[in-house]
Amino acid sequence: MPTYKAPVDDVLFLLNDVFRIDRYDNLPGFSDASPDIVAAILGEAAKFCEEVLQPLNRVGDVEGCVRQADGSVTTPKGFKEAYEQLVAGGWIGISAPAEYGGQGLPGTLTVVVNEFLASANMAFTMYPGLTQGAIAAILIHGSAEQKARYVPPMVAGTWTGTMNLTEPHCGTDLGLLRTKAVKQGDGSYKITGTKIFISAGEHDLAENIVHLVLARIEGAPAGTRGTSLFIVPKILPGPDGALAARNAVTCGSIEEKMGIHGNSTCVLNYDGAVGWLIGEENRGLQAMFTMMNEARLGVGVQGLAVSEAAYQSAVVYAKERLQGRAISGAKFPDKPADPIIVHPDVRRTLMTIRAINEAGRALVLWTALKSDVAHRSQDDKERQAADDHMGLLTPVIKGVLTDQGFANAVMAQQMYGGHGYIAEHGMDQFVRDSRIAMIYEGANGIQALDLVGRKLGKDGGRAVMAFFNEVQGFIKENGDEAMKPYVAPLGEALGHLQQATMWFMQNAMAKPDNAGAGSYDYMHLFGLVALGYMWAHMAKAAHGKIASGDGERLKAKLVTGRFFMERLLPETGAHLKRIQAGAASMMELPAEAF
Amino acid sequence: MPTYKAPVDDVLFLLNDVFRIDRYDNLPGFSDASPDIVAAILGEAAKFCEEVLQPLNRVGDVEGCVRQADGSVTTPKGFKEAYEQLVAGGWIGISAPAEYGGQGLPGTLTVVVNEFLASANMAFTMYPGLTQGAIAAILIHGSAEQKARYVPPMVAGTWTGTMNLTEPHCGTDLGLLRTKAVKQGDGSYKITGTKIFISAGEHDLAENIVHLVLARIEGAPAGTRGTSLFIVPKILPGPDGALAARNAVTCGSIEEKMGIHGNSTCVLNYDGAVGWLIGEENRGLQAMFTMMNEARLGVGVQGLAVSEAAYQSAVVYAKERLQGRAISGAKFPDKPADPIIVHPDVRRTLMTIRAINEAGRALVLWTALKSDVAHRSQDDKERQAADDHMGLLTPVIKGVLTDQGFANAVMAQQMYGGHGYIAEHGMDQFVRDSRIAMIYEGANGIQALDLVGRKLGKDGGRAVMAFFNEVQGFIKENGDEAMKPYVAPLGEALGHLQQATMWFMQNAMAKPDNAGAGSYDYMHLFGLVALGYMWAHMAKAAHGKIASGDGERLKAKLVTGRFFMERLLPETGAHLKRIQAGAASMMELPAEAF
């Protein structure tokens, strides 16, 4: 059975030594987050994840959620009690504004805690995760009254939230949606339609559920310009805020799916349910977009989180399982065989996963800090730069960390041999659970298109130029002997990324298919450069600190960083070649030839 | 729901036009396999797979196998009737010798039919597949009496076979096995021990099961040199061959696993079961090895088979699902949206899977023909060369086609978006089923070690030099303008493979970890070159035939081949770099650092 230990020390190294969180002290909430406080918070979160949530992970997978005859949904055994503890610990709202009952701490801490939660139990973590997304949407787009009514119980966890976008015939192309909203005399709307794949759509963890629903107001224009966003509570609050009448939204069924069985993925039927417009009419999709960066960052974190959990299990197995002898001679001649960690191919697996996880975590925290700047800074220019960073890096983090998270879970499972294929060891659950992160919140092909089609050219390429300049600046400033093994390969990889960017500029205007044909490779090329840049930063911090203590940990950072440069970064050349191949052979065949 | 159409035309193109099966007419059984006969056989096989087996695929996944209280095992509904049809069609023994009831046709045809069967229903196909493996073992190592007793009912399908290697504490390292065999006065042995992961270990499809069991004879030397192979029938045949007493082997439980639910993966308990030695004492592992090439080739075929089935489903979906508009302008303005096949990233997915499948099928058939030569030719030199080819290419086919088969199933699932994650569409079953092929019959890391550690240096590198010479010769002979887009990139990729081979020769002697560190990349580098070589062959055959008919099909071959060269082959450079990075950063950390 898998065990899990939250990587608190690794996070503290990143926050304190690599990104120097003390430099952000001017932002609201950051001065409350002194190193001691942060360490204490993360220690508490770790304890909850390791002791309460992780043991429920397999329970959730085996039991799943059950829809009862009356349409109510029962979550797996133990989930309700764990949710009560989550709520009691205040974990949903640690970064929410104090005026709504939150603790106002940096959003970065929520991102860290969410990684721990999802490592321990991804399916469970989606319940509070979706609530956090709904809170963000209401805080940005809701009226003062809506905020006052809905946000406090959601921060407190007594109500949860959902996002209702997908319909049977449309997911990626939301312009096609059919759920309709009819305005009533009192300013409310009646919502009618069917939504599918609604995570946490119905459950027994909280007393109410706040559905955010995309629908089309009667007479609205066709396509994406005719969608509006509505708040549709499961139980309607009365004038005093207390729960009153049951609304006409019901769970029609729970999807039978590959993984995340502990989360109820519902078909929700809206049958003239009462809802209220949030934000402006026909601007629903734009409203969704403003919180999409955070939601996608959150899914990227899930990829990282499951990869970390799978890695930790693989490490335990690699040290315990005795099989064969080291190629360089027996390491434990007194045992019947050596532990498999002596074998280079097992090391390759462990080092690969670890090199991606540690840099992925850095990339996530770096970007989470930018998100805090974008939301909390008083400086317009700083805010804009941070926002540029978010827009550019979010599709990369979502696409690359979920693709790699799944690939890493598969690699960790492989290390178990046949035992990895058997349910009782839990490795196949990591594979099945992590698989969804590549799909939802915008399938990874869509992330790649977002990056290449929207983000690259936005504002004259301001964001990508700033990224290139930053990396290039770092490389120039750190040309010393100790940093060479990191910055030299990084420079080469950055060159590949710049060539690929240039190739799009020269070849995608006249023939847009060239952009689509290379987008997926570009996303991964970008991801490798970004992860490589994180390794260069971590190496620098490790060099700077290694004399003063924790030498083994810091030395491991330096070695793992070198492994990344030697083994993973060389892929950038292949990505560039594929991008430069263009769309010709890809698009040449007629559809009938398939 | 997935549908499946066996790629009969593609196979006929390979057999008749690419590999010119008529050139093998001198081999026993081949003259009976005229193009008409082959087409008729494959047409029949296709019909059975499409109409009978494929509809049972999801049934098998959902129902699984059930162990009853008495230890008997019930297969999913419909499996028994389908098995009766398989047996009635004579499909198990089409290549088995006529003296044992087979049809004596080329083994290559069995490989083709097994691809169709596994595409339609991988879990079902393992029952006859393991029987074929057991037949091969008995034919090679059994006494005349053993052959006469066991092979005819297995060819007829009234008895099935299994392989019993793995024990709870050992899979890869079979030298550790503990199952013991005690010699009896009558020359038989009593076998006692526990075997796990025994596919088709107990079921209700046939009246008897012939277990081939690796065990250690009392007093045998420790390690692999002390293992012997035994025949242990579930029901002991009496002197007349009729079934007599139940043997002391029982199914203790069925493993709950990630996929292939339709196959019963059993824990088998041997409690003084009666068995007979097959082959020589203490030579059991060698006996297993002689049939390992065919078994591993068969698993590689499973990877290809599931990839093909997943591809076909993805194509149907890509043509039906309407979402978004082509980046180059709407293609179906009268529809609410374009089918997703217009999007480059969807094309990338389809072309990638197809380019690997078609070349993978070629590589399999080329190697299957070599296997026929190795087993049936009268010419020593020809036999030796074919055997060299088998030894060299088998780990490549097993490792690369199963890794790619799984990756392709994941890509095909991805195309479905959220619907791919839902069980009812069947895409997640392809992912879960194909996953096991990377693990069993030697995990793919072991295939890579076999290739680099055993096969490369064998006989002074005779096999690999012959392969290099053949590919190089082909490139030289086909330098014309039409073939340039194929042979030029192939030449570059071959160069990378040769450099990598040279690097091992120069760096792995002194430091064997360098071989292990690069083995996985080398296997995939080799696979890309071999698949590229297949594409060059197919392109040549297509060019030669395109004037005389079936132009669209052949043009598609030429385009798909170019796609392979432009998009997939460039990976060879990254593999070479990783190999040349050596073992240093991979092995540097102490085990405690993990």
PDB file of all heavy atoms in Angstrom, chain A residues 171 173 323-324 327 413 421 432 435 513 567 571 578 582, chain B residues 171 173 323-324 327 413 421 432 435 513 567 571 578 582:
ATOM      1  N   GLY A 171     -17.939  20.270 -25.398  1.00  0.00           N
ATOM      2  CA  GLY A 171     -17.038  20.422 -24.264  1.00  0.00           C
ATOM      3  C   GLY A 171     -16.045  21.520 -24.598  1.00  0.00           C
ATOM      4  O   GLY A 171     -16.102  22.630 -24.079  1.00  0.00           O
ATOM      5  N   ASP A 173     -15.877  23.142 -27.416  1.00  0.00           N
ATOM      6  CA  ASP A 173     -16.535  24.208 -28.177  1.00  0.00           C
ATOM      7  C   ASP A 173     -17.807  24.642 -27.454  1.00  0.00           C
ATOM      8  O   ASP A 173     -18.916  24.224 -27.794  1.00  0.00           O
ATOM      9  CB  ASP A 173     -16.853  23.687 -29.578  1.00  0.00           C
ATOM     10  CG  ASP A 173     -17.376  24.782 -30.492  1.00  0.00           C
ATOM     11  OD1 ASP A 173     -17.575  25.920 -30.018  1.00  0.00           O
ATOM     12  OD2 ASP A 173     -17.575  24.492 -31.688  1.00  0.00           O
ATOM     13  N   GLN A 323      15.870  -8.362  -6.299  1.00  0.00           N
ATOM     14  CA  GLN A 323      15.759  -9.020  -7.601  1.00  0.00           C
ATOM     15  C   GLN A 323      17.036  -8.774  -8.385  1.00  0.00           C
ATOM     16  O   GLN A 323      17.385  -7.631  -8.684  1.00  0.00           O
ATOM     17  CB  GLN A 323      14.540  -8.449  -8.350  1.00  0.00           C
ATOM     18  CG  GLN A 323      13.835  -9.405  -9.268  1.00  0.00           C
ATOM     19  CD  GLN A 323      12.885 -10.377  -8.549  1.00  0.00           C
ATOM     20  OE1 GLN A 323      12.172 -11.109  -9.171  1.00  0.00           O
ATOM     21  NE2 GLN A 323      12.886 -10.402  -7.229  1.00  0.00           N
ATOM     22  N   GLY A 324      17.753  -9.838  -8.686  1.00  0.00           N
ATOM     23  CA  GLY A 324      18.971  -9.701  -9.478  1.00  0.00           C
ATOM     24  C   GLY A 324      20.126  -9.090  -8.704  1.00  0.00           C
ATOM     25  O   GLY A 324      20.010  -8.779  -7.516  1.00  0.00           O
ATOM     26  N   ILE A 327      24.827  -4.764 -11.807  1.00  0.00           N
ATOM     27  CA  ILE A 327      25.625  -5.053 -12.995  1.00  0.00           C
ATOM     28  C   ILE A 327      27.108  -4.858 -12.694  1.00  0.00           C
ATOM     29  O   ILE A 327      27.987  -5.488 -13.281  1.00  0.00           O
ATOM     30  CB  ILE A 327      25.126  -4.140 -14.147  1.00  0.00           C
ATOM     31  CG1 ILE A 327      25.499  -4.655 -15.527  1.00  0.00           C
ATOM     32  CG2 ILE A 327      25.549  -2.716 -13.948  1.00  0.00           C
ATOM     33  CD1 ILE A 327      24.774  -3.882 -16.638  1.00  0.00           C
ATOM     34  N   GLN A 413       4.631   2.798 -11.791  1.00  0.00           N
ATOM     35  CA  GLN A 413       3.918   1.521 -11.825  1.00  0.00           C
ATOM     36  C   GLN A 413       4.781   0.435 -12.473  1.00  0.00           C
ATOM     37  O   GLN A 413       4.827  -0.703 -12.011  1.00  0.00           O
ATOM     38  CB  GLN A 413       2.624   1.706 -12.631  1.00  0.00           C
ATOM     39  CG  GLN A 413       1.785   0.440 -12.761  1.00  0.00           C
ATOM     40  CD  GLN A 413       0.654   0.605 -13.784  1.00  0.00           C
ATOM     41  OE1 GLN A 413       0.789   1.348 -14.759  1.00  0.00           O
ATOM     42  NE2 GLN A 413      -0.446  -0.076 -13.557  1.00  0.00           N
ATOM     43  N   TYR A 421       0.421  -3.929 -11.649  1.00  0.00           N
ATOM     44  CA  TYR A 421      -0.825  -4.089 -12.413  1.00  0.00           C
ATOM     45  C   TYR A 421      -1.971  -4.567 -11.523  1.00  0.00           C
ATOM     46  O   TYR A 421      -3.126  -4.561 -11.935  1.00  0.00           O
ATOM     47  CB  TYR A 421      -0.573  -5.089 -13.547  1.00  0.00           C
ATOM     48  CG  TYR A 421      -1.568  -5.008 -14.691  1.00  0.00           C
ATOM     49  CD1 TYR A 421      -1.626  -3.881 -15.510  1.00  0.00           C
ATOM     50  CD2 TYR A 421      -2.427  -6.064 -14.978  1.00  0.00           C
ATOM     51  CE1 TYR A 421      -2.522  -3.814 -16.566  1.00  0.00           C
ATOM     52  CE2 TYR A 421      -3.325  -6.010 -16.035  1.00  0.00           C
ATOM     53  CZ  TYR A 421      -3.365  -4.873 -16.826  1.00  0.00           C
ATOM     54  OH  TYR A 421      -4.258  -4.809 -17.875  1.00  0.00           O
ATOM     55  N   ARG A 432      -4.649   5.679 -13.204  1.00  0.00           N
ATOM     56  CA  ARG A 432      -6.033   5.962 -13.615  1.00  0.00           C
ATOM     57  C   ARG A 432      -6.488   7.349 -13.136  1.00  0.00           C
ATOM     58  O   ARG A 432      -7.190   8.058 -13.849  1.00  0.00           O
ATOM     59  CB  ARG A 432      -6.967   4.868 -13.093  1.00  0.00           C
ATOM     60  CG  ARG A 432      -6.761   3.521 -13.801  1.00  0.00           C
ATOM     61  CD  ARG A 432      -7.715   2.453 -13.328  1.00  0.00           C
ATOM     62  NE  ARG A 432      -7.445   2.001 -11.976  1.00  0.00           N
ATOM     63  CZ  ARG A 432      -8.094   2.404 -10.894  1.00  0.00           C
ATOM     64  NH1 ARG A 432      -9.113   3.252 -10.999  1.00  0.00           N
ATOM     65  NH2 ARG A 432      -7.766   1.959  -9.703  1.00  0.00           N
ATOM     66  N   ARG A 435      -4.773  10.302 -15.060  1.00  0.00           N
ATOM     67  CA  ARG A 435      -5.128  10.383 -16.486  1.00  0.00           C
ATOM     68  C   ARG A 435      -6.095  11.538 -16.776  1.00  0.00           C
ATOM     69  O   ARG A 435      -6.013  12.180 -17.824  1.00  0.00           O
ATOM     70  CB  ARG A 435      -5.737   9.052 -16.936  1.00  0.00           C
ATOM     71  CG  ARG A 435      -6.128   8.998 -18.413  1.00  0.00           C
ATOM     72  CD  ARG A 435      -4.909   9.025 -19.303  1.00  0.00           C
ATOM     73  NE  ARG A 435      -5.249   9.065 -20.724  1.00  0.00           N
ATOM     74  CZ  ARG A 435      -5.471  10.190 -21.399  1.00  0.00           C
ATOM     75  NH1 ARG A 435      -5.406  11.364 -20.789  1.00  0.00           N
ATOM     76  NH2 ARG A 435      -5.749  10.154 -22.685  1.00  0.00           N
ATOM     77  N   ASP A 513      -2.286  26.254 -40.344  1.00  0.00           N
ATOM     78  CA  ASP A 513      -2.120  24.852 -39.942  1.00  0.00           C
ATOM     79  C   ASP A 513      -0.718  24.577 -39.404  1.00  0.00           C
ATOM     80  O   ASP A 513      -0.525  23.667 -38.594  1.00  0.00           O
ATOM     81  CB  ASP A 513      -2.396  23.919 -41.129  1.00  0.00           C
ATOM     82  CG  ASP A 513      -3.889  23.686 -41.323  1.00  0.00           C
ATOM     83  OD1 ASP A 513      -4.667  24.018 -40.403  1.00  0.00           O
ATOM     84  OD2 ASP A 513      -4.268  23.169 -42.384  1.00  0.00           O
ATOM     85  N   ARG A 567      19.717  14.379 -19.424  1.00  0.00           N
ATOM     86  CA  ARG A 567      18.824  13.307 -19.854  1.00  0.00           C
ATOM     87  C   ARG A 567      17.482  13.782 -20.385  1.00  0.00           C
ATOM     88  O   ARG A 567      16.870  13.127 -21.202  1.00  0.00           O
ATOM     89  CB  ARG A 567      18.557  12.383 -18.655  1.00  0.00           C
ATOM     90  CG  ARG A 567      19.739  11.528 -18.288  1.00  0.00           C
ATOM     91  CD  ARG A 567      19.695  10.243 -19.065  1.00  0.00           C
ATOM     92  NE  ARG A 567      20.966   9.549 -18.986  1.00  0.00           N
ATOM     93  CZ  ARG A 567      21.175   8.358 -19.532  1.00  0.00           C
ATOM     94  NH1 ARG A 567      20.201   7.725 -20.142  1.00  0.00           N
ATOM     95  NH2 ARG A 567      22.346   7.792 -19.465  1.00  0.00           N
ATOM     96  N   GLU A 571      15.692  16.616 -25.318  1.00  0.00           N
ATOM     97  CA  GLU A 571      14.485  16.438 -26.114  1.00  0.00           C
ATOM     98  C   GLU A 571      14.104  17.712 -26.879  1.00  0.00           C
ATOM     99  O   GLU A 571      13.356  17.653 -27.867  1.00  0.00           O
ATOM    100  CB  GLU A 571      13.337  16.043 -25.160  1.00  0.00           C
ATOM    101  CG  GLU A 571      12.070  15.591 -25.821  1.00  0.00           C
ATOM    102  CD  GLU A 571      12.211  14.285 -26.556  1.00  0.00           C
ATOM    103  OE1 GLU A 571      13.102  13.483 -26.204  1.00  0.00           O
ATOM    104  OE2 GLU A 571      11.444  14.078 -27.512  1.00  0.00           O
ATOM    105  N   ARG A 578      10.499  18.657 -35.176  1.00  0.00           N
ATOM    106  CA  ARG A 578       9.105  18.320 -35.509  1.00  0.00           C
ATOM    107  C   ARG A 578       8.310  19.578 -35.852  1.00  0.00           C
ATOM    108  O   ARG A 578       7.507  19.583 -36.781  1.00  0.00           O
ATOM    109  CB  ARG A 578       8.458  17.580 -34.340  1.00  0.00           C
ATOM    110  CG  ARG A 578       8.922  16.143 -34.224  1.00  0.00           C
ATOM    111  CD  ARG A 578       8.037  15.338 -33.284  1.00  0.00           C
ATOM    112  NE  ARG A 578       8.389  15.555 -31.905  1.00  0.00           N
ATOM    113  CZ  ARG A 578       9.219  14.768 -31.209  1.00  0.00           C
ATOM    114  NH1 ARG A 578       9.763  13.709 -31.784  1.00  0.00           N
ATOM    115  NH2 ARG A 578       9.498  15.035 -29.962  1.00  0.00           N
ATOM    116  N   GLY A 582       6.492  21.291 -40.089  1.00  0.00           N
ATOM    117  CA  GLY A 582       5.269  21.913 -40.586  1.00  0.00           C
ATOM    118  C   GLY A 582       4.104  20.950 -40.731  1.00  0.00           C
ATOM    119  O   GLY A 582       4.143  19.820 -40.248  1.00  0.00           O
TER     120      GLY A 582
ATOM    121  N   GLY B 171      10.039 -12.574  -9.930  1.00  0.00           N
ATOM    122  CA  GLY B 171       9.477 -12.541 -11.267  1.00  0.00           C
ATOM    123  C   GLY B 171      10.613 -12.445 -12.268  1.00  0.00           C
ATOM    124  O   GLY B 171      10.949 -13.409 -12.953  1.00  0.00           O
ATOM    125  N   ASP B 173      13.772 -12.214 -11.522  1.00  0.00           N
ATOM    126  CA  ASP B 173      14.916 -13.007 -11.063  1.00  0.00           C
ATOM    127  C   ASP B 173      14.449 -14.409 -10.690  1.00  0.00           C
ATOM    128  O   ASP B 173      14.227 -14.730  -9.526  1.00  0.00           O
ATOM    129  CB  ASP B 173      15.552 -12.309  -9.857  1.00  0.00           C
ATOM    130  CG  ASP B 173      16.856 -12.975  -9.432  1.00  0.00           C
ATOM    131  OD1 ASP B 173      17.208 -14.036  -9.992  1.00  0.00           O
ATOM    132  OD2 ASP B 173      17.512 -12.442  -8.533  1.00  0.00           O
ATOM    133  N   GLN B 323     -16.830  19.937 -33.358  1.00  0.00           N
ATOM    134  CA  GLN B 323     -16.327  20.820 -32.304  1.00  0.00           C
ATOM    135  C   GLN B 323     -15.369  21.823 -32.918  1.00  0.00           C
ATOM    136  O   GLN B 323     -14.345  21.458 -33.488  1.00  0.00           O
ATOM    137  CB  GLN B 323     -15.603  19.954 -31.240  1.00  0.00           C
ATOM    138  CG  GLN B 323     -15.661  20.482 -29.836  1.00  0.00           C
ATOM    139  CD  GLN B 323     -16.998  20.182 -29.120  1.00  0.00           C
ATOM    140  OE1 GLN B 323     -17.115  20.440 -27.962  1.00  0.00           O
ATOM    141  NE2 GLN B 323     -17.978  19.649 -29.798  1.00  0.00           N
ATOM    142  N   GLY B 324     -15.723  23.085 -32.853  1.00  0.00           N
ATOM    143  CA  GLY B 324     -14.834  24.123 -33.365  1.00  0.00           C
ATOM    144  C   GLY B 324     -14.795  24.181 -34.885  1.00  0.00           C
ATOM    145  O   GLY B 324     -15.483  23.430 -35.581  1.00  0.00           O
ATOM    146  N   ILE B 327      -8.844  25.774 -38.443  1.00  0.00           N
ATOM    147  CA  ILE B 327      -8.019  26.962 -38.271  1.00  0.00           C
ATOM    148  C   ILE B 327      -7.849  27.703 -39.609  1.00  0.00           C
ATOM    149  O   ILE B 327      -7.684  28.912 -39.659  1.00  0.00           O
ATOM    150  CB  ILE B 327      -6.662  26.525 -37.651  1.00  0.00           C
ATOM    151  CG1 ILE B 327      -5.918  27.665 -36.985  1.00  0.00           C
ATOM    152  CG2 ILE B 327      -5.814  25.828 -38.653  1.00  0.00           C
ATOM    153  CD1 ILE B 327      -4.747  27.142 -36.124  1.00  0.00           C
ATOM    154  N   GLN B 413      -7.450   7.713 -26.711  1.00  0.00           N
ATOM    155  CA  GLN B 413      -8.386   8.071 -25.637  1.00  0.00           C
ATOM    156  C   GLN B 413      -8.468   9.590 -25.488  1.00  0.00           C
ATOM    157  O   GLN B 413      -9.551  10.150 -25.315  1.00  0.00           O
ATOM    158  CB  GLN B 413      -7.903   7.441 -24.331  1.00  0.00           C
ATOM    159  CG  GLN B 413      -8.764   7.766 -23.115  1.00  0.00           C
ATOM    160  CD  GLN B 413      -8.114   7.340 -21.807  1.00  0.00           C
ATOM    161  OE1 GLN B 413      -6.887   7.363 -21.669  1.00  0.00           O
ATOM    162  NE2 GLN B 413      -8.931   6.946 -20.842  1.00  0.00           N
ATOM    163  N   TYR B 421     -12.695   9.188 -20.935  1.00  0.00           N
ATOM    164  CA  TYR B 421     -12.454   8.786 -19.544  1.00  0.00           C
ATOM    165  C   TYR B 421     -13.631   7.974 -18.988  1.00  0.00           C
ATOM    166  O   TYR B 421     -13.533   7.384 -17.914  1.00  0.00           O
ATOM    167  CB  TYR B 421     -12.236  10.046 -18.696  1.00  0.00           C
ATOM    168  CG  TYR B 421     -11.507   9.823 -17.392  1.00  0.00           C
ATOM    169  CD1 TYR B 421     -10.186   9.402 -17.361  1.00  0.00           C
ATOM    170  CD2 TYR B 421     -12.140  10.045 -16.169  1.00  0.00           C
ATOM    171  CE1 TYR B 421      -9.508   9.212 -16.167  1.00  0.00           C
ATOM    172  CE2 TYR B 421     -11.467   9.859 -14.958  1.00  0.00           C
ATOM    173  CZ  TYR B 421     -10.151   9.440 -14.968  1.00  0.00           C
ATOM    174  OH  TYR B 421      -9.481   9.256 -13.783  1.00  0.00           O
ATOM    175  N   ARG B 432      -6.154   0.394 -20.300  1.00  0.00           N
ATOM    176  CA  ARG B 432      -5.905  -0.525 -19.186  1.00  0.00           C
ATOM    177  C   ARG B 432      -5.430  -1.895 -19.674  1.00  0.00           C
ATOM    178  O   ARG B 432      -4.554  -2.505 -19.073  1.00  0.00           O
ATOM    179  CB  ARG B 432      -7.165  -0.661 -18.325  1.00  0.00           C
ATOM    180  CG  ARG B 432      -7.483   0.626 -17.544  1.00  0.00           C
ATOM    181  CD  ARG B 432      -8.707   0.477 -16.638  1.00  0.00           C
ATOM    182  NE  ARG B 432      -9.946   0.380 -17.407  1.00  0.00           N
ATOM    183  CZ  ARG B 432     -10.605  -0.732 -17.671  1.00  0.00           C
ATOM    184  NH1 ARG B 432     -10.144  -1.891 -17.208  1.00  0.00           N
ATOM    185  NH2 ARG B 432     -11.707  -0.714 -18.377  1.00  0.00           N
ATOM    186  N   ARG B 435      -1.780  -1.858 -21.094  1.00  0.00           N
ATOM    187  CA  ARG B 435      -0.736  -1.564 -20.102  1.00  0.00           C
ATOM    188  C   ARG B 435       0.052  -2.811 -19.709  1.00  0.00           C
ATOM    189  O   ARG B 435       1.265  -2.736 -19.469  1.00  0.00           O
ATOM    190  CB  ARG B 435      -1.387  -0.925 -18.864  1.00  0.00           C
ATOM    191  CG  ARG B 435      -0.404  -0.536 -17.761  1.00  0.00           C
ATOM    192  CD  ARG B 435       0.501   0.589 -18.192  1.00  0.00           C
ATOM    193  NE  ARG B 435       1.501   0.929 -17.189  1.00  0.00           N
ATOM    194  CZ  ARG B 435       2.692   0.357 -17.111  1.00  0.00           C
ATOM    195  NH1 ARG B 435       3.037  -0.587 -17.966  1.00  0.00           N
ATOM    196  NH2 ARG B 435       3.557   0.727 -16.182  1.00  0.00           N
ATOM    197  N   ASP B 513      27.686  -0.007 -15.809  1.00  0.00           N
ATOM    198  CA  ASP B 513      26.508   0.831 -15.567  1.00  0.00           C
ATOM    199  C   ASP B 513      26.173   1.705 -16.772  1.00  0.00           C
ATOM    200  O   ASP B 513      25.015   2.084 -16.975  1.00  0.00           O
ATOM    201  CB  ASP B 513      26.722   1.733 -14.339  1.00  0.00           C
ATOM    202  CG  ASP B 513      26.439   0.994 -13.037  1.00  0.00           C
ATOM    203  OD1 ASP B 513      25.829  -0.099 -13.096  1.00  0.00           O
ATOM    204  OD2 ASP B 513      26.813   1.506 -11.973  1.00  0.00           O
ATOM    205  N   ARG B 567       8.400  13.381 -38.411  1.00  0.00           N
ATOM    206  CA  ARG B 567       7.844  13.646 -37.082  1.00  0.00           C
ATOM    207  C   ARG B 567       8.319  12.685 -36.000  1.00  0.00           C
ATOM    208  O   ARG B 567       8.390  13.036 -34.835  1.00  0.00           O
ATOM    209  CB  ARG B 567       6.314  13.562 -37.156  1.00  0.00           C
ATOM    210  CG  ARG B 567       5.692  14.726 -37.889  1.00  0.00           C
ATOM    211  CD  ARG B 567       5.391  15.839 -36.916  1.00  0.00           C
ATOM    212  NE  ARG B 567       5.145  17.100 -37.599  1.00  0.00           N
ATOM    213  CZ  ARG B 567       4.785  18.201 -36.971  1.00  0.00           C
ATOM    214  NH1 ARG B 567       4.628  18.195 -35.657  1.00  0.00           N
ATOM    215  NH2 ARG B 567       4.600  19.317 -37.630  1.00  0.00           N
ATOM    216  N   GLU B 571      13.478  11.729 -33.190  1.00  0.00           N
ATOM    217  CA  GLU B 571      13.734  11.373 -31.797  1.00  0.00           C
ATOM    218  C   GLU B 571      15.062  10.636 -31.631  1.00  0.00           C
ATOM    219  O   GLU B 571      15.609  10.579 -30.516  1.00  0.00           O
ATOM    220  CB  GLU B 571      12.570  10.498 -31.314  1.00  0.00           C
ATOM    221  CG  GLU B 571      12.526  10.209 -29.843  1.00  0.00           C
ATOM    222  CD  GLU B 571      12.251  11.451 -29.008  1.00  0.00           C
ATOM    223  OE1 GLU B 571      11.626  12.397 -29.522  1.00  0.00           O
ATOM    224  OE2 GLU B 571      12.687  11.463 -27.844  1.00  0.00           O
ATOM    225  N   ARG B 578      21.152  11.079 -24.883  1.00  0.00           N
ATOM    226  CA  ARG B 578      20.929  10.516 -23.541  1.00  0.00           C
ATOM    227  C   ARG B 578      21.867   9.338 -23.285  1.00  0.00           C
ATOM    228  O   ARG B 578      22.409   9.187 -22.191  1.00  0.00           O
ATOM    229  CB  ARG B 578      19.472  10.078 -23.398  1.00  0.00           C
ATOM    230  CG  ARG B 578      18.528  11.248 -23.219  1.00  0.00           C
ATOM    231  CD  ARG B 578      17.162  10.796 -22.725  1.00  0.00           C
ATOM    232  NE  ARG B 578      16.343  10.331 -23.827  1.00  0.00           N
ATOM    233  CZ  ARG B 578      15.461  11.093 -24.480  1.00  0.00           C
ATOM    234  NH1 ARG B 578      15.294  12.354 -24.143  1.00  0.00           N
ATOM    235  NH2 ARG B 578      14.750  10.601 -25.472  1.00  0.00           N
ATOM    236  N   GLY B 582      25.789   8.799 -20.361  1.00  0.00           N
ATOM    237  CA  GLY B 582      26.347   7.808 -19.451  1.00  0.00           C
ATOM    238  C   GLY B 582      25.617   7.706 -18.124  1.00  0.00           C
ATOM    239  O   GLY B 582      24.521   8.252 -17.944  1.00  0.00           O
TER     240      GLY B 582
END
